[in-house]
Amino acid sequence: MSDIEITLAALREAVRLAPDNLPLLQHLIRTLSDLTRYDEAEQFLMATLGAGGRQPAVQLMLAEVFYRQGKNSHAMAIVETLCNPAAPHAPAIVLHAKLLYREGKVDQAVREYKRAVEHDGSLAESEFESLLGIGRWEGNDPAGDDFHDNAGDEIIDGRIRAFAASSEGPPGASPLEKPKLKFADVGGMESVKEQIRVKIIFPLTHAEMFAAYGKQAGGGILLYGPPGCGKTYLARATAGEVNAHFLSIGINDVLDMWLGNSERNLHELFEQARRNRPCVLFFDEVDALGASRSDMRQSAGRHLVNQFLSELDGVKASNEGVLMLGATNAPWHVDSAFRRPGRFDRVIFVPPPDAAAREEVLGIHLAGKPAADVDRRKVAAKADEYSGADLMALVDAAVEVKLQEAIRSGRPTPLTTNDLITAMRTVKPTTREWFATARNHALYANQGGTYDDILAYLKLK
């Protein structure tokens, strides 16, 4: 037995002998979490709750374990019961702020964090305050007293955005990732995966063969389809397949109110990808950056599109080893110039998962959760038109119901097939609205057959 196992065994025994010793329990859970043994920590806490352990403190520890695993909805279900305005639980409010921040609700996160610190100043966290932007503008307040209540680059006030842009300049260095995801982690979409292999992966893994035919590793693919069908997840898995860097670009990483700064930001992001090749450069919601120039009234937008096209062409620097993926829910708004050879010249429809893929996606989302022989095939058959995100929301909704029941009863019970089917009453497929719009474009604006895949999916061709 290793020293770590001996230590853990001693801690478990100590907690068993002194179940009311909260610091001892916290030490055990912190140790398990630091070792990333979250399942053990979760099971131990659930058992403690079932045995009538100190409820609020133990519930908060369980929420923190969920938070560290990225199970945000699980953590939120617990934290919301602890953030009682009548009797505020300050540590729970801090965790609530962090969960809100993860959801992108920065203003709400700032308010919750400040409320917690007002109740208990010892809970202040300088690192989290930096993320929220609290105190960042101290002594340099061009926007008035309300300036301190906003949160960095996420704030809405145009005056603050202007000041941030002028003082900080272009982003320049977005965080690079080395994703561990593989295609095996992505449920279904076999046809889409195969097209990505041919266009992006094989030129890297069989470089000598491609070089013999004068073919360089590079170029781009435009993924389009209903929201929540795994376009971003697939892009990250593509980088994992070839052990490449991954750089995800959103509209906020590029756009700037000052003339010329948006183009400069975009150029620097391409340069960052070129310095770290092989690199998958992923543009989420590419239609926001590459909108059709014929629809633009202002020249600034056209300048940005021209800069984007120039970077894709590698006019001033080679893009060899830079693999470009774009994702959009509205391909009809993307300038047609982006689909020319050497740019996003392969346009791939990413449909909602079919029945077999839905079963596989459900298996991925149920992994690690207590489930009593869930009939995934039965659930998948009833979940027609559900996207991958809808299926995740379905599982989360069922889990939240079970979690609330477990917290009330103090006894956890596993998920069942009926729990998931019952959750379908509240979680509806979100793809229908998208197809209503896409159908019109596919029928009446389908020059060149770009949207033939939509017609085939809807059985209109």
PDB file of all heavy atoms in Angstrom, residues 100-122:
ATOM      1  N   LEU A 100     -21.968  31.433 -11.593  1.00  0.00           N
ATOM      2  CA  LEU A 100     -22.530  32.447 -12.492  1.00  0.00           C
ATOM      3  C   LEU A 100     -21.481  32.933 -13.476  1.00  0.00           C
ATOM      4  O   LEU A 100     -21.767  33.155 -14.661  1.00  0.00           O
ATOM      5  CB  LEU A 100     -23.079  33.620 -11.671  1.00  0.00           C
ATOM      6  CG  LEU A 100     -24.344  33.350 -10.865  1.00  0.00           C
ATOM      7  CD1 LEU A 100     -24.619  34.490  -9.901  1.00  0.00           C
ATOM      8  CD2 LEU A 100     -25.542  33.151 -11.792  1.00  0.00           C
ATOM      9  N   TYR A 101     -20.245  33.099 -12.993  1.00  0.00           N
ATOM     10  CA  TYR A 101     -19.165  33.537 -13.878  1.00  0.00           C
ATOM     11  C   TYR A 101     -18.919  32.509 -14.983  1.00  0.00           C
ATOM     12  O   TYR A 101     -18.712  32.861 -16.143  1.00  0.00           O
ATOM     13  CB  TYR A 101     -17.885  33.752 -13.062  1.00  0.00           C
ATOM     14  CG  TYR A 101     -16.697  34.168 -13.910  1.00  0.00           C
ATOM     15  CD1 TYR A 101     -16.562  35.483 -14.337  1.00  0.00           C
ATOM     16  CD2 TYR A 101     -15.735  33.243 -14.283  1.00  0.00           C
ATOM     17  CE1 TYR A 101     -15.488  35.867 -15.123  1.00  0.00           C
ATOM     18  CE2 TYR A 101     -14.661  33.612 -15.067  1.00  0.00           C
ATOM     19  CZ  TYR A 101     -14.532  34.935 -15.487  1.00  0.00           C
ATOM     20  OH  TYR A 101     -13.478  35.304 -16.271  1.00  0.00           O
ATOM     21  N   ARG A 102     -18.963  31.234 -14.625  1.00  0.00           N
ATOM     22  CA  ARG A 102     -18.782  30.181 -15.637  1.00  0.00           C
ATOM     23  C   ARG A 102     -19.868  30.233 -16.697  1.00  0.00           C
ATOM     24  O   ARG A 102     -19.634  29.882 -17.850  1.00  0.00           O
ATOM     25  CB  ARG A 102     -18.801  28.803 -14.965  1.00  0.00           C
ATOM     26  CG  ARG A 102     -17.469  28.372 -14.416  1.00  0.00           C
ATOM     27  CD  ARG A 102     -17.502  26.904 -14.031  1.00  0.00           C
ATOM     28  NE  ARG A 102     -16.230  26.466 -13.493  1.00  0.00           N
ATOM     29  CZ  ARG A 102     -16.017  25.251 -13.008  1.00  0.00           C
ATOM     30  NH1 ARG A 102     -16.997  24.361 -13.021  1.00  0.00           N
ATOM     31  NH2 ARG A 102     -14.834  24.922 -12.528  1.00  0.00           N
ATOM     32  N   GLU A 103     -21.066  30.649 -16.303  1.00  0.00           N
ATOM     33  CA  GLU A 103     -22.171  30.730 -17.245  1.00  0.00           C
ATOM     34  C   GLU A 103     -22.126  32.002 -18.077  1.00  0.00           C
ATOM     35  O   GLU A 103     -22.978  32.215 -18.941  1.00  0.00           O
ATOM     36  CB  GLU A 103     -23.510  30.668 -16.496  1.00  0.00           C
ATOM     37  CG  GLU A 103     -23.790  29.315 -15.844  1.00  0.00           C
ATOM     38  CD  GLU A 103     -25.115  29.303 -15.092  1.00  0.00           C
ATOM     39  OE1 GLU A 103     -25.780  30.369 -15.030  1.00  0.00           O
ATOM     40  OE2 GLU A 103     -25.494  28.244 -14.567  1.00  0.00           O
ATOM     41  N   GLY A 104     -21.131  32.868 -17.805  1.00  0.00           N
ATOM     42  CA  GLY A 104     -21.033  34.118 -18.550  1.00  0.00           C
ATOM     43  C   GLY A 104     -21.874  35.243 -17.969  1.00  0.00           C
ATOM     44  O   GLY A 104     -21.953  36.324 -18.549  1.00  0.00           O
ATOM     45  N   LYS A 105     -22.502  35.027 -16.810  1.00  0.00           N
ATOM     46  CA  LYS A 105     -23.337  36.054 -16.178  1.00  0.00           C
ATOM     47  C   LYS A 105     -22.466  36.863 -15.223  1.00  0.00           C
ATOM     48  O   LYS A 105     -22.580  36.779 -14.000  1.00  0.00           O
ATOM     49  CB  LYS A 105     -24.508  35.402 -15.442  1.00  0.00           C
ATOM     50  CG  LYS A 105     -25.409  34.588 -16.364  1.00  0.00           C
ATOM     51  CD  LYS A 105     -26.490  33.846 -15.591  1.00  0.00           C
ATOM     52  CE  LYS A 105     -27.364  33.018 -16.526  1.00  0.00           C
ATOM     53  NZ  LYS A 105     -28.388  32.231 -15.791  1.00  0.00           N
ATOM     54  N   VAL A 106     -21.584  37.674 -15.815  1.00  0.00           N
ATOM     55  CA  VAL A 106     -20.538  38.339 -15.032  1.00  0.00           C
ATOM     56  C   VAL A 106     -21.111  39.372 -14.075  1.00  0.00           C
ATOM     57  O   VAL A 106     -20.684  39.477 -12.927  1.00  0.00           O
ATOM     58  CB  VAL A 106     -19.504  38.979 -15.976  1.00  0.00           C
ATOM     59  CG1 VAL A 106     -18.379  39.626 -15.184  1.00  0.00           C
ATOM     60  CG2 VAL A 106     -18.934  37.936 -16.924  1.00  0.00           C
ATOM     61  N   ASP A 107     -22.078  40.165 -14.555  1.00  0.00           N
ATOM     62  CA  ASP A 107     -22.646  41.195 -13.683  1.00  0.00           C
ATOM     63  C   ASP A 107     -23.283  40.578 -12.434  1.00  0.00           C
ATOM     64  O   ASP A 107     -23.111  41.079 -11.325  1.00  0.00           O
ATOM     65  CB  ASP A 107     -23.691  42.012 -14.445  1.00  0.00           C
ATOM     66  CG  ASP A 107     -23.046  42.915 -15.492  1.00  0.00           C
ATOM     67  OD1 ASP A 107     -21.833  43.137 -15.382  1.00  0.00           O
ATOM     68  OD2 ASP A 107     -23.751  43.358 -16.406  1.00  0.00           O
ATOM     69  N   GLN A 108     -24.027  39.480 -12.631  1.00  0.00           N
ATOM     70  CA  GLN A 108     -24.634  38.801 -11.480  1.00  0.00           C
ATOM     71  C   GLN A 108     -23.556  38.216 -10.574  1.00  0.00           C
ATOM     72  O   GLN A 108     -23.694  38.237  -9.342  1.00  0.00           O
ATOM     73  CB  GLN A 108     -25.560  37.690 -11.954  1.00  0.00           C
ATOM     74  CG  GLN A 108     -26.787  38.184 -12.709  1.00  0.00           C
ATOM     75  CD  GLN A 108     -27.660  37.033 -13.157  1.00  0.00           C
ATOM     76  OE1 GLN A 108     -27.894  36.084 -12.420  1.00  0.00           O
ATOM     77  NE2 GLN A 108     -28.135  37.095 -14.393  1.00  0.00           N
ATOM     78  N   ALA A 109     -22.490  37.691 -11.167  1.00  0.00           N
ATOM     79  CA  ALA A 109     -21.396  37.126 -10.367  1.00  0.00           C
ATOM     80  C   ALA A 109     -20.753  38.190  -9.496  1.00  0.00           C
ATOM     81  O   ALA A 109     -20.432  37.947  -8.323  1.00  0.00           O
ATOM     82  CB  ALA A 109     -20.354  36.489 -11.292  1.00  0.00           C
ATOM     83  N   VAL A 110     -20.571  39.385 -10.049  1.00  0.00           N
ATOM     84  CA  VAL A 110     -19.975  40.489  -9.277  1.00  0.00           C
ATOM     85  C   VAL A 110     -20.859  40.832  -8.084  1.00  0.00           C
ATOM     86  O   VAL A 110     -20.375  41.000  -6.953  1.00  0.00           O
ATOM     87  CB  VAL A 110     -19.763  41.723 -10.178  1.00  0.00           C
ATOM     88  CG1 VAL A 110     -19.387  42.943  -9.343  1.00  0.00           C
ATOM     89  CG2 VAL A 110     -18.673  41.449 -11.205  1.00  0.00           C
ATOM     90  N   ARG A 111     -22.162  40.925  -8.331  1.00  0.00           N
ATOM     91  CA  ARG A 111     -23.073  41.287  -7.232  1.00  0.00           C
ATOM     92  C   ARG A 111     -23.071  40.230  -6.130  1.00  0.00           C
ATOM     93  O   ARG A 111     -23.039  40.556  -4.937  1.00  0.00           O
ATOM     94  CB  ARG A 111     -24.494  41.486  -7.784  1.00  0.00           C
ATOM     95  CG  ARG A 111     -24.678  42.764  -8.577  1.00  0.00           C
ATOM     96  CD  ARG A 111     -26.155  43.073  -8.797  1.00  0.00           C
ATOM     97  NE  ARG A 111     -26.772  42.108  -9.680  1.00  0.00           N
ATOM     98  CZ  ARG A 111     -26.828  42.234 -10.999  1.00  0.00           C
ATOM     99  NH1 ARG A 111     -26.273  43.287 -11.583  1.00  0.00           N
ATOM    100  NH2 ARG A 111     -27.428  41.333 -11.740  1.00  0.00           N
ATOM    101  N   GLU A 112     -23.100  38.940  -6.523  1.00  0.00           N
ATOM    102  CA  GLU A 112     -23.101  37.873  -5.532  1.00  0.00           C
ATOM    103  C   GLU A 112     -21.794  37.842  -4.746  1.00  0.00           C
ATOM    104  O   GLU A 112     -21.795  37.673  -3.523  1.00  0.00           O
ATOM    105  CB  GLU A 112     -23.329  36.516  -6.220  1.00  0.00           C
ATOM    106  CG  GLU A 112     -24.760  36.255  -6.623  1.00  0.00           C
ATOM    107  CD  GLU A 112     -25.666  36.080  -5.407  1.00  0.00           C
ATOM    108  OE1 GLU A 112     -26.196  37.106  -4.923  1.00  0.00           O
ATOM    109  OE2 GLU A 112     -25.829  34.947  -4.935  1.00  0.00           O
ATOM    110  N   TYR A 113     -20.682  38.013  -5.455  1.00  0.00           N
ATOM    111  CA  TYR A 113     -19.382  37.985  -4.775  1.00  0.00           C
ATOM    112  C   TYR A 113     -19.286  39.120  -3.745  1.00  0.00           C
ATOM    113  O   TYR A 113     -18.845  38.919  -2.604  1.00  0.00           O
ATOM    114  CB  TYR A 113     -18.256  38.104  -5.805  1.00  0.00           C
ATOM    115  CG  TYR A 113     -16.884  38.209  -5.178  1.00  0.00           C
ATOM    116  CD1 TYR A 113     -16.235  37.084  -4.684  1.00  0.00           C
ATOM    117  CD2 TYR A 113     -16.249  39.437  -5.061  1.00  0.00           C
ATOM    118  CE1 TYR A 113     -14.985  37.181  -4.090  1.00  0.00           C
ATOM    119  CE2 TYR A 113     -15.007  39.544  -4.471  1.00  0.00           C
ATOM    120  CZ  TYR A 113     -14.367  38.421  -3.995  1.00  0.00           C
ATOM    121  OH  TYR A 113     -13.128  38.530  -3.409  1.00  0.00           O
ATOM    122  N   LYS A 114     -19.717  40.314  -4.144  1.00  0.00           N
ATOM    123  CA  LYS A 114     -19.642  41.454  -3.217  1.00  0.00           C
ATOM    124  C   LYS A 114     -20.565  41.232  -2.019  1.00  0.00           C
ATOM    125  O   LYS A 114     -20.232  41.609  -0.892  1.00  0.00           O
ATOM    126  CB  LYS A 114     -20.014  42.741  -3.951  1.00  0.00           C
ATOM    127  CG  LYS A 114     -18.938  43.209  -4.920  1.00  0.00           C
ATOM    128  CD  LYS A 114     -19.269  44.586  -5.486  1.00  0.00           C
ATOM    129  CE  LYS A 114     -18.111  45.121  -6.309  1.00  0.00           C
ATOM    130  NZ  LYS A 114     -18.366  46.477  -6.819  1.00  0.00           N
ATOM    131  N   ARG A 115     -21.713  40.606  -2.264  1.00  0.00           N
ATOM    132  CA  ARG A 115     -22.630  40.313  -1.151  1.00  0.00           C
ATOM    133  C   ARG A 115     -21.986  39.355  -0.164  1.00  0.00           C
ATOM    134  O   ARG A 115     -22.107  39.524   1.057  1.00  0.00           O
ATOM    135  CB  ARG A 115     -23.933  39.714  -1.711  1.00  0.00           C
ATOM    136  CG  ARG A 115     -25.008  39.458  -0.669  1.00  0.00           C
ATOM    137  CD  ARG A 115     -26.367  39.280  -1.334  1.00  0.00           C
ATOM    138  NE  ARG A 115     -26.497  38.002  -2.003  1.00  0.00           N
ATOM    139  CZ  ARG A 115     -27.072  36.934  -1.446  1.00  0.00           C
ATOM    140  NH1 ARG A 115     -27.543  37.006  -0.204  1.00  0.00           N
ATOM    141  NH2 ARG A 115     -27.198  35.810  -2.117  1.00  0.00           N
ATOM    142  N   ALA A 116     -21.267  38.348  -0.680  1.00  0.00           N
ATOM    143  CA  ALA A 116     -20.604  37.389   0.201  1.00  0.00           C
ATOM    144  C   ALA A 116     -19.508  38.048   1.023  1.00  0.00           C
ATOM    145  O   ALA A 116     -19.395  37.824   2.239  1.00  0.00           O
ATOM    146  CB  ALA A 116     -20.025  36.244  -0.632  1.00  0.00           C
ATOM    147  N   VAL A 117     -18.701  38.877   0.367  1.00  0.00           N
ATOM    148  CA  VAL A 117     -17.574  39.518   1.068  1.00  0.00           C
ATOM    149  C   VAL A 117     -18.071  40.518   2.108  1.00  0.00           C
ATOM    150  O   VAL A 117     -17.428  40.722   3.145  1.00  0.00           O
ATOM    151  CB  VAL A 117     -16.635  40.185   0.043  1.00  0.00           C
ATOM    152  CG1 VAL A 117     -15.551  40.996   0.740  1.00  0.00           C
ATOM    153  CG2 VAL A 117     -15.991  39.123  -0.852  1.00  0.00           C
ATOM    154  N   GLU A 118     -19.223  41.140   1.835  1.00  0.00           N
ATOM    155  CA  GLU A 118     -19.796  42.046   2.832  1.00  0.00           C
ATOM    156  C   GLU A 118     -20.153  41.301   4.118  1.00  0.00           C
ATOM    157  O   GLU A 118     -20.025  41.834   5.216  1.00  0.00           O
ATOM    158  CB  GLU A 118     -21.051  42.721   2.262  1.00  0.00           C
ATOM    159  CG  GLU A 118     -20.751  43.829   1.270  1.00  0.00           C
ATOM    160  CD  GLU A 118     -22.013  44.379   0.645  1.00  0.00           C
ATOM    161  OE1 GLU A 118     -23.120  43.932   1.039  1.00  0.00           O
ATOM    162  OE2 GLU A 118     -21.907  45.236  -0.252  1.00  0.00           O
ATOM    163  N   HIS A 119     -20.577  40.041   3.979  1.00  0.00           N
ATOM    164  CA  HIS A 119     -20.927  39.233   5.155  1.00  0.00           C
ATOM    165  C   HIS A 119     -19.686  38.655   5.822  1.00  0.00           C
ATOM    166  O   HIS A 119     -19.662  38.472   7.041  1.00  0.00           O
ATOM    167  CB  HIS A 119     -21.873  38.098   4.753  1.00  0.00           C
ATOM    168  CG  HIS A 119     -23.270  38.545   4.491  1.00  0.00           C
ATOM    169  ND1 HIS A 119     -24.155  38.876   5.489  1.00  0.00           N
ATOM    170  CD2 HIS A 119     -23.929  38.736   3.324  1.00  0.00           C
ATOM    171  CE1 HIS A 119     -25.302  39.246   4.961  1.00  0.00           C
ATOM    172  NE2 HIS A 119     -25.203  39.169   3.644  1.00  0.00           N
ATOM    173  N   ASP A 120     -18.661  38.345   5.027  1.00  0.00           N
ATOM    174  CA  ASP A 120     -17.452  37.732   5.587  1.00  0.00           C
ATOM    175  C   ASP A 120     -16.251  38.150   4.744  1.00  0.00           C
ATOM    176  O   ASP A 120     -15.980  37.578   3.692  1.00  0.00           O
ATOM    177  CB  ASP A 120     -17.590  36.204   5.595  1.00  0.00           C
ATOM    178  CG  ASP A 120     -16.425  35.516   6.307  1.00  0.00           C
ATOM    179  OD1 ASP A 120     -15.421  36.197   6.609  1.00  0.00           O
ATOM    180  OD2 ASP A 120     -16.522  34.298   6.557  1.00  0.00           O
ATOM    181  N   GLY A 121     -15.536  39.167   5.213  1.00  0.00           N
ATOM    182  CA  GLY A 121     -14.409  39.709   4.464  1.00  0.00           C
ATOM    183  C   GLY A 121     -13.268  38.731   4.266  1.00  0.00           C
ATOM    184  O   GLY A 121     -12.457  38.885   3.345  1.00  0.00           O
ATOM    185  N   SER A 122     -13.196  37.689   5.108  1.00  0.00           N
ATOM    186  CA  SER A 122     -12.106  36.717   4.987  1.00  0.00           C
ATOM    187  C   SER A 122     -12.236  35.861   3.735  1.00  0.00           C
ATOM    188  O   SER A 122     -11.304  35.153   3.359  1.00  0.00           O
ATOM    189  CB  SER A 122     -12.048  35.820   6.221  1.00  0.00           C
ATOM    190  OG  SER A 122     -13.198  34.986   6.285  1.00  0.00           O
TER     191      SER A 122
END
